[in-house]
Amino acid sequence: MTRRSLVALLSVGILSMGALVGCATGAASSPTSEATPDATASIAPSEVRAGWLDAGRGIAVVTLGSSSCVPVATEPVLSGTTLTVDLVEPSDGPCTRDLAPRATYVGLPAGVDPTRDLEVVVTGAVEGSTSLAGLADAPAAGDEFLPSAGWVGDGQVAILTWGSSGCRPQVEAVTSAGEGATVTFVEPPADQVCTADMAPRVSLADLTGIVDDGPVELTLTGGNVASEGPIAVLGAR
């Protein structure tokens, strides 16, 4: 089991135990739709998208479903150039009855070459598949737990940050900045409580009409999420 998958699974266990402590790692989602116990990710259509993250050590899998109930990935299975990802619905509360894109982080097993095309097959809470084009060059591996970003569709990027799984950062605004963009996150309320874990959280941001063609870098700010300088968006639109 990869370290990333282990971290994600441990975060699910901590969530189920309800261990809540104060944190300063980001804002939880603020659902705008009515929360109902029977509105779960299982109602999502089969549209699936994916993008490279974390210097090619992981990917974001984007599915459609309840915005407040993001599926969690179990240990992925690699067979040749096909990666099978099983998604599990969260079981720690009701879900909003909306239909929105939400992103799940998947740590990749040994043997995945980010410069080669990857077929991603999704099973479980959502079923579907997508083809992920390989990167032109293998990214330099940086330190663990650094933020990263990757294209997951025409104009949309997935942004990986690390912190409490109970307090997912929420994008407030995206603005043009030189040859890239600045992504500002919502400031969390002073009385917000979060789970005491260190887990991958993936936020989505729409850059349509904000950046030009070509390489793009993002600067992250606000919401107790920050990058030490701009981060390159991996992949292609």
Side-chain angles (χ1 to χ4, degrees), residues 99-112:
L99 191 62
R102 65 273 166 91
T104 300
Y105 178 77
V106 181
L108 297 177
V112 175

Side-chain angles (χ1 to χ4, degrees), residues 118-140:
L118 187 66
E119 185 71 18
V120 180
V121 177
V122 177
T123 61
V126 178
E127 296 186 354
S129 63
T130 188
S131 296
L132 180 57
L135 300 173
D137 299 295

Side-chain angles (χ1 to χ4, degrees), residues 67-157:
S67 60
S68 65
C69 291
V70 180
V72 176
T74 61
E75 182 73 12
V77 177
L78 180 67
S79 177
T81 59
T82 299
L83 184 78
T84 300
V85 179
D86 189 60
L87 296 182
V88 178
E89 295 177 354
S91 58
D92 58 331
C95 303
T96 51
R97 192 183 291 277
D98 58 349
L99 191 62
R102 65 273 166 91
T104 300
Y105 178 77
V106 181
L108 297 177
V112 175
D113 181 356
T115 65
R116 298 184 61 187
D117 295 350
L118 187 66
E119 185 71 18
V120 180
V121 177
V122 177
T123 61
V126 178
E127 296 186 354
S129 63
T130 188
S131 296
L132 180 57
L135 300 173
D137 299 295
D143 295 336
E144 290 189 307
F145 308 126
L146 291 178
S148 60
W151 291 107
V152 290
D154 188 15
Q156 192 171 56
V157 296

Side-chain angles (χ1 to χ4, degrees), residues 194-216:
C194 306
T195 50
D197 57 348
M198 175 65 76
R201 301 92 49 90
V202 185
S203 306
L204 297 174
D206 191 355
L207 273 60
T208 304
I210 296 176
V211 296
D212 297 326
D213 295 336
V216 173

